[in-house]
Amino acid sequence: MAEAPGDDTGARRSAVIDLGSNSFRLVVFTAAPGAWWRRTDEIFEPVRIGAGMGKSGRLTAKRMSRALTTIETYAHYLRASGIPPADVQAVATSAIRDAANRDEFLACAREASGLDVRVLSPAEEARYGYLAAINSTTLSDGAVLDLGGGSLQLVGVRDRLAADVGSWPLGTIRMTERCLDDKPATKKQLKAVRARVREELESARWVGKGGPRLVGIGGTVRNLAAAAQRRAELPSFGVQGYVLDREALGALISDLAALPAAERGSVPGIKPERGDVILAGATVIDAALEAAGYEAIEVTEAGLREGVFFDGHLAPAEPRLFPDVRAASVRNLAAQYHADAPHVLHVVSLCLGLFDALATGGVHPGDESERELLWAAAMLHDIGMTVDYDDHHKHSRYLILNAGLPGYSPREVALISLMAQYHRKGSPGFGELSALMGDGDDARLDRCSALLRLAEQLERARDQVVRETRVEVHDGSVELELVSGGDTGIAQWAAERQADLFERAFGRRLEVTAG
Amino acid sequence: MAEAPGDDTGARRSAVIDLGSNSFRLVVFTAAPGAWWRRTDEIFEPVRIGAGMGKSGRLTAKRMSRALTTIETYAHYLRASGIPPADVQAVATSAIRDAANRDEFLACAREASGLDVRVLSPAEEARYGYLAAINSTTLSDGAVLDLGGGSLQLVGVRDRLAADVGSWPLGTIRMTERCLDDKPATKKQLKAVRARVREELESARWVGKGGPRLVGIGGTVRNLAAAAQRRAELPSFGVQGYVLDREALGALISDLAALPAAERGSVPGIKPERGDVILAGATVIDAALEAAGYEAIEVTEAGLREGVFFDGHLAPAEPRLFPDVRAASVRNLAAQYHADAPHVLHVVSLCLGLFDALATGGVHPGDESERELLWAAAMLHDIGMTVDYDDHHKHSRYLILNAGLPGYSPREVALISLMAQYHRKGSPGFGELSALMGDGDDARLDRCSALLRLAEQLERARDQVVRETRVEVHDGSVELELVSGGDTGIAQWAAERQADLFERAFGRRLEVTAG
């Protein structure tokens, strides 16, 4: 049934437990191998296991008991929801790794929950962060920054491969306890944070040599991006792909510094439970950008747990990379709604054929990146049928914007969603998304909407009767000959109604003829 | 898989072709018997077959040829998309029924398309309108008004059954051609329309005797409702259940009368292709309300084709009625997303159990209609998992608002959607929906969100381990004892985090104990 979604045949659940220095997370992933994957449950708990370790280097009794309750809860959840131990990975990072009483803690955890926690080495922690970043962005040369409660990891990336790796004890909790107090922060305090970062990164001359792009992961980066989006009053559908530049970051730092720690969690975009450590985090990131010579940090929502998941999901591929992250995102979303596949794929081939023929004919520039956006929109144009037939084009837009497409920028996701929205009717426009748009995007949207709509109409009967089209470009008009295996009456009838938008987009009349 | 939608096992498609006096429509319905149904495709064509019949009483050559092209197109679509003739019903109404050259037209139609068109008698046309209205609203006593391009049908309803039936040649096209011209309408012209309606309805003394409620169907009613919504700046998710009163209708009539016919289609909410006949339609409806003594008309989006569909879908039930329209709407929507059924049903029983126990304990009024809204919200709380795990509570709200729930008022649908939205987190509020809300709805939303959230948390592991709850009401607190078949650790842990909203909703502390 066209509008019925995601075939879950053979879908398998697995869980990752991430025992971070700042928060614990149980994340359940469901994946139909080779088809799609998605997060299907999550239990978050801001345990702060790394708090109060400062002097002794030991996990405090208070934090340990909260941690053990949470781990017990996770174990209970896994038993109750029937996810077998073999499909569960529990990993611990900096705070637990470095704790003097770590073995005692791990023994208690095993005792309380039956879970075997794997303590990640700095290199392993960095690798999972790298896998998360590299498989959710188009980063090819540059670096990945992963800031947690305990440590900062940097991974140099060349040709999508991890080159150099470093880890430093510059986590948000550590730095907060070391350099800040509850009051508004003084210049002196922030200077101390920055100085500390500079010193530590001395040991990483390679940082910033890898290339111009820096991708950031972790809750601090996500919260700062959300806060910057709010500050800039941008429409927000998550922070995936958002580029946080040093100017915006600096503005946030001064806002946060002016507030007592207790009030920083009420800054829009910052989670309350993170408020007390966000300023140290923001300052560490800005100092790291400065030290490494980056002007901005590109945000991904994927985190350590996605890295752990990808490591298994993409096995045995070596390295564990999606060949093409953008294509993988589109196919993943499309596969979650089993839209009428023959129809969708035929619309894809028809509209790309039109795009190419018109480019060859000199009717439009034939820009490659535009073509890719059109492909994505065509792949996803009908997913909104899941919501309702009425306005399903608008629902496709909603689903695309809200599910997101890792690898695409917010602007690109917005364009794809709008092309899908206008695949049936209406006069293409940006609406509430205009703040995300760039030069020439209005013409781009017109062109792609016109072609997608035309292809959809040639497929109005969903019967693939129009095998392909032959395009002849005359001045003033474009002649579209339908090459078919049968009666193209409805295709012609439907296509001709799209002449207006076509003319608006390409400045030429459209004439449709049966081959 | 919890978030994967609609099981389409055994889903069957059928089509209804509605050859109306104003427009033709091919509508495809997909239904999984006993589970769900929905519209899955539609081809609309404003043919205006009834135009220009005035003097001769004959369908004009121009309109006939447009009609035949459209019918051919429909036939092609049906062949191409593989819907067998046995599953197609083509029906014609007033204009074709009354045409002097009707047999010639029907012969050409059969010739051109192979389709056998069934010409509905006035009584049959009225009955299908009645089936559409009665199965998409809670009308029990009153009447159904169906205004088309050719005729006006009124059906008196008692105890949900059709009592009296009448049909009059007062359709929008007929009345436009008879009484109006292209210019702004004069008082005299509108008076003539009203006089004509009064005269005709003389013959229907029964009208308005049936009861206080009048339900309206047809494109004119839908367009006027949309225009009134826009005028009142109400948030709109369709016009289902919208109540258009005579004051709002009167305001629209004067706006429309002041414009030349050509500009009436640009009034927000009015479809361009309907602009030239909308004023006559609005005036006929208002005059009919006056004649029948109704103060308002309640809008349903269902139309003649839904009536034809229900007639088959609900067979062999006699009469063809959903026993409970509201429950049927909720179950229909829920069934389209195969959410984890044991979990959903258990959340339903837990939160209704809590609702009842707290009412018995005198903690809240225990209002029946509130309980029904809570039931609906619980049934639908997880459908948003279809979109994405992140923010699935918000997606549930979007899906409920946009798919709609026939039988519920816009206010009730909004409340249900908000209860579903707040089933996980956040502080309940109306947001953009506040204009739809009424007295006490804030407290109602708090109570239901608190209970739904509590039930969801008791089911946090989705394992039905908490079989039921025992409630003890003390002054200042409510003690919740979990009756379980096993370890309730996670349920207790999760439920206790909902104490805040519970206290805000019921003014009492919540204490959760294991039984």
Side-chain angles (χ1 to χ4, degrees):
Chain A
M1 181 173 88
E3 73 292 5
D7 179 2
D8 56 352
T9 320
R12 236 169 108 271
R13 289 180 306 158
S14 63
V16 177
I17 296 175
D18 172 2
L19 306 179
S21 310
N22 184 58
S23 53
F24 285 11
R25 265 199 181 75
L26 165 72
V27 181
V28 178
F29 295 93
T30 304
W36 55 266
W37 70 275
R38 76 198 305 184
R39 241 175 332 142
T40 49
D41 207 349
E42 174 161 353
I43 305 180
F44 170 86
E45 184 74 5
V47 170
R48 284 289 169 88
I49 187 75
M53 293 174 68
K55 315 126 209 71
S56 67
R58 298 173 57 83
L59 305 172
T60 66
K62 175 175 163 225
R63 299 297 173 171
M64 272 177 68
S65 87
R66 183 171 182 186
L68 293 170
T69 319
T70 305
I71 293 171
E72 251 185 279
T73 305
Y74 289 170
H76 176 86
Y77 171 92
L78 292 168
R79 277 196 306 278
S81 55
I83 300 176
D87 296 330
V88 178
Q89 292 194 74
V91 299
T93 55
S94 171
I96 294 170
R97 174 173 63 231
D98 303 344
N101 52 345
R102 126 191 188 171
D103 296 343
E104 173 197 348
F105 173 76
L106 294 174
C108 296
R110 191 176 305 103
E111 169 77 20
S113 69
L115 285 167
D116 275 313
V117 176
R118 179 160 60 105
V119 177
L120 301 180
S121 71
E124 290 172 313
E125 182 177 356
R127 175 171 175 270
Y128 286 128
Y130 152 80
L131 284 181
I134 207 73
N135 283 307
S136 60
T137 68
T138 56
L139 178 66
S140 167
D141 294 285
V144 175
L145 177 152
D146 176 4
L147 179 62
S151 62
L152 168 75
Q153 279 70 242
L154 283 165
V155 179
V157 176
R158 282 190 206 76
D159 256 334
R160 300 190 73 205
L161 299 181
D164 325 83
V165 170
S167 178
W168 298 268
L170 293 167
T172 57
I173 298 174
R174 280 184 217 236
M175 296 302 285
T176 301
E177 293 181 349
R178 176 193 297 272
C179 307
L180 304 179
D181 54 33
D182 300 345
K183 293 189 266 335
T186 63
K187 288 213 165 36
K188 189 152 170 299
Q189 289 174 311
L190 296 182
K191 275 218 177 81
V193 175
R194 309 184 74 94
R196 180 88 197 164
V197 173
R198 261 197 313 279
E199 277 162 45
E200 292 280 354
L201 294 188
E202 279 297 315
S203 65
R205 287 253 160 269
W206 54 267
V207 173
K209 304 286 184 298
R213 284 174 69 185
L214 179 69
V215 171
I217 73 172
T220 301
V221 173
R222 290 194 301 271
N223 275 240
L224 291 170
Q229 274 182 333
R230 301 288 199 89
R231 216 168 180 286
E233 293 176 350
L234 291 173
S236 171
F237 305 91
V239 295
Q240 183 65 46
Y242 181 78
V243 176
L244 177 64
D245 61 32
R246 289 196 58 203
E247 188 184 345
L249 184 52
L252 281 172
I253 289 173
S254 17
D255 287 2
L256 292 165
L259 299 169
E263 292 174 27
R264 291 173 193 148
S266 55
V267 171
I270 305 299
K271 292 219 174 100
E273 66 267 22
R274 210 176 262 284
D276 58 336
V277 296
I278 193 71
L279 175 59
T283 312
V284 168
I285 290 170
D286 190 58
L289 291 181
E290 188 176 27
Y294 289 103
E295 270 321 297
I297 185 165
E298 197 178 311
V299 182
T300 180
E301 289 177 356
L304 184 80
R305 50 256 163 216
E306 274 76 21
V308 174
F309 168 73
F310 288 141
D311 192 39
H313 182 65
L314 294 174
E318 198 51 68
R320 303 279 202 267
L321 304 181
F322 287 115
D324 178 337
V325 169
R326 288 156 69 100
S329 292
V330 171
R331 295 186 198 285
N332 186 38
L333 189 54
Q336 289 172 43
Y337 304 89
H338 51 67
D340 176 355
H343 165 70
V344 170
L345 295 176
H346 200 60
V347 166
V348 169
S349 88
L350 286 173
C351 67
L352 292 182
L354 289 164
F355 182 94
D356 297 340
L358 291 169
T360 310
V363 177
H364 71 97
D367 171 54
E368 256 317 304
S369 65
E370 182 174 324
R371 189 180 194 276
E372 189 195 6
L373 297 179
L374 176 59
W375 170 78
M379 286 288 292
L380 300 170
H381 75 279
D382 262 352
I383 64 176
M385 295 272 259
T386 305
V387 177
D388 192 10
Y389 173 77
D390 290 343
D391 291 333
H392 71 261
H393 51 296
K394 293 182 189 166
H395 305 320
S396 294
R397 167 173 173 271
Y398 177 88
L399 297 179
I400 293 166
L401 287 174
N402 285 282
L405 293 171
Y408 291 90
S409 70
R411 168 187 158 268
E412 291 171 318
V413 176
L415 274 171
I416 292 166
S417 75
L418 289 166
M419 293 169 188
Q421 166 171 3
Y422 290 108
H423 85 269
R424 287 173 72 201
K425 52 185 176 184
S427 174
F430 298 152
E432 47 159 7
L433 298 174
S434 49
L436 295 172
M437 296 302 161
D439 289 352
D441 283 344
D442 44 1
R444 209 164 275 121
L445 175 60
D446 276 358
R447 283 191 294 267
C448 293
S449 304
L451 296 181
L452 180 52
R453 198 183 288 192
L454 189 50
E456 170 77 355
Q457 293 307 324
L458 294 177
E459 251 295 276
R460 188 64 188 85
R462 300 173 165 269
D463 61 352
Q464 295 87 59
V465 67
V466 175
R467 282 203 301 269
E468 55 175 328
T469 57
R470 290 207 191 92
V471 169
E472 275 195 38
V473 179
H474 314 290
D475 34 321
S477 74
V478 166
E479 191 185 330
L480 191 66
E481 186 193 323
L482 308 185
V483 181
S484 80
D487 175 356
T488 60
I490 188 170
Q492 217 176 322
W493 170 84
E496 275 160 358
R497 332 185 114 195
Q498 302 309 328
D500 291 357
L501 181 57
F502 185 92
E503 186 159 357
R504 163 173 150 181
F506 298 103
R508 282 178 167 79
R509 277 193 335 284
L510 176 70
E511 282 153 15
V512 184
T513 63
Chain B
M1 185 174 80
E3 73 292 5
D7 180 1
D8 57 351
T9 319
R12 237 170 106 266
R13 289 180 306 157
S14 63
V16 177
I17 295 175
D18 172 2
L19 306 179
S21 310
N22 184 61
S23 53
F24 285 10
R25 263 199 182 77
L26 164 70
V27 181
V28 178
F29 295 92
T30 304
W36 55 265
W37 70 273
R38 74 198 307 184
R39 242 175 330 142
T40 50
D41 206 348
E42 176 162 349
I43 305 180
F44 169 86
E45 185 73 5
V47 171
R48 283 290 169 90
I49 187 76
M53 291 176 67
K55 316 128 209 68
S56 67
R58 297 173 58 83
L59 305 171
T60 66
K62 174 177 164 223
R63 298 298 172 170
M64 271 177 69
S65 88
R66 182 168 182 190
L68 293 170
T69 320
T70 305
I71 293 171
E72 250 186 281
T73 305
Y74 289 170
H76 177 86
Y77 171 93
L78 293 167
R79 278 194 306 278
S81 55
I83 300 176
D87 296 328
V88 179
Q89 291 193 72
V91 298
T93 54
S94 171
I96 294 171
R97 177 172 61 229
D98 304 342
N101 52 347
R102 131 191 185 169
D103 295 342
E104 173 195 348
F105 173 76
L106 294 175
C108 297
R110 190 176 307 103
E111 170 78 17
S113 68
L115 285 167
D116 275 312
V117 176
R118 178 159 60 102
V119 177
L120 301 180
S121 70
E124 290 173 311
E125 182 177 356
R127 175 171 174 270
Y128 286 129
Y130 152 80
L131 285 181
I134 207 73
N135 284 306
S136 60
T137 69
T138 55
L139 177 66
S140 167
D141 294 285
V144 175
L145 178 154
D146 176 2
L147 179 61
S151 61
L152 168 75
Q153 279 69 242
L154 282 165
V155 179
V157 176
R158 279 186 210 80
D159 257 332
R160 301 190 72 206
L161 299 181
D164 324 82
V165 170
S167 179
W168 299 270
L170 295 168
T172 56
I173 298 173
R174 279 183 216 236
M175 295 303 283
T176 301
E177 295 182 349
R178 176 193 299 271
C179 309
L180 304 179
D181 55 35
D182 299 346
K183 296 189 265 334
T186 63
K187 287 214 165 37
K188 188 152 169 297
Q189 289 173 314
L190 296 183
K191 275 221 177 84
V193 175
R194 308 186 75 94
R196 179 92 197 161
V197 173
R198 260 198 315 277
E199 274 163 49
E200 292 279 357
L201 294 188
E202 278 298 312
S203 65
R205 288 251 159 270
W206 56 267
V207 173
K209 303 287 183 300
R213 286 175 65 185
L214 179 70
V215 170
I217 71 173
T220 301
V221 172
R222 290 194 301 272
N223 275 240
L224 292 169
Q229 273 183 334
R230 301 288 198 88
R231 216 169 181 285
E233 292 175 351
L234 292 173
S236 173
F237 305 91
V239 295
Q240 183 65 45
Y242 181 78
V243 176
L244 176 64
D245 61 32
R246 289 195 59 202
E247 189 183 343
L249 184 53
L252 282 172
I253 289 173
S254 20
D255 289 1
L256 293 164
L259 299 169
E263 290 174 30
R264 290 173 193 148
S266 54
V267 170
I270 306 298
K271 293 218 173 98
E273 67 267 19
R274 212 177 260 284
D276 58 338
V277 296
I278 194 69
L279 175 58
T283 312
V284 168
I285 290 168
D286 190 57
L289 291 182
E290 187 176 28
Y294 289 103
E295 268 321 297
I297 186 166
E298 196 177 314
V299 182
T300 180
E301 289 177 356
L304 182 82
R305 49 258 164 215
E306 275 76 19
V308 174
F309 168 74
F310 287 141
D311 192 40
H313 182 66
L314 295 174
E318 198 50 68
R320 304 280 202 267
L321 304 180
F322 287 116
D324 178 337
V325 169
R326 290 156 69 101
S329 293
V330 171
R331 295 186 198 285
N332 186 38
L333 189 54
Q336 289 172 42
Y337 306 89
H338 54 66
D340 177 356
H343 165 70
V344 170
L345 295 177
H346 200 59
V347 166
V348 169
S349 88
L350 286 173
C351 66
L352 292 182
L354 289 164
F355 183 93
D356 297 339
L358 290 170
T360 311
V363 176
H364 73 95
D367 171 55
E368 256 315 305
S369 64
E370 182 175 323
R371 189 181 194 276
E372 188 194 6
L373 297 179
L374 176 59
W375 169 78
M379 287 288 291
L380 300 171
H381 75 280
D382 263 352
I383 63 175
M385 296 272 262
T386 305
V387 179
D388 192 11
Y389 174 78
D390 290 344
D391 291 333
H392 71 259
H393 51 297
K394 293 180 189 167
H395 305 320
S396 294
R397 166 173 174 271
Y398 177 88
L399 297 180
I400 293 166
L401 286 174
N402 285 282
L405 293 171
Y408 291 90
S409 70
R411 167 186 159 268
E412 291 172 317
V413 176
L415 274 170
I416 292 166
S417 74
L418 289 166
M419 293 169 188
Q421 166 170 5
Y422 291 107
H423 85 269
R424 288 172 71 202
K425 53 186 174 182
S427 173
F430 298 151
E432 47 158 6
L433 298 175
S434 49
L436 294 172
M437 295 302 161
D439 289 352
D441 283 344
D442 46 359
R444 207 163 277 122
L445 175 60
D446 275 359
R447 284 192 294 267
C448 293
S449 304
L451 296 182
L452 180 52
R453 198 183 289 192
L454 189 51
E456 170 77 356
Q457 293 307 322
L458 294 176
E459 251 292 278
R460 188 62 188 88
R462 300 174 165 266
D463 61 351
Q464 295 85 58
V465 67
V466 175
R467 282 204 301 270
E468 53 174 331
T469 57
R470 292 210 189 92
V471 168
E472 274 196 38
V473 178
H474 313 291
D475 34 321
S477 75
V478 166
E479 191 183 330
L480 190 66
E481 188 193 318
L482 309 185
V483 182
S484 80
D487 175 356
T488 60
I490 189 171
Q492 217 176 323
W493 170 85
E496 274 160 358
R497 330 185 118 195
Q498 301 311 326
D500 290 357
L501 180 57
F502 185 92
E503 186 159 357
R504 163 173 148 181
F506 298 102
R508 285 178 166 80
R509 278 195 331 284
L510 176 70
E511 283 152 17
V512 184
T513 62

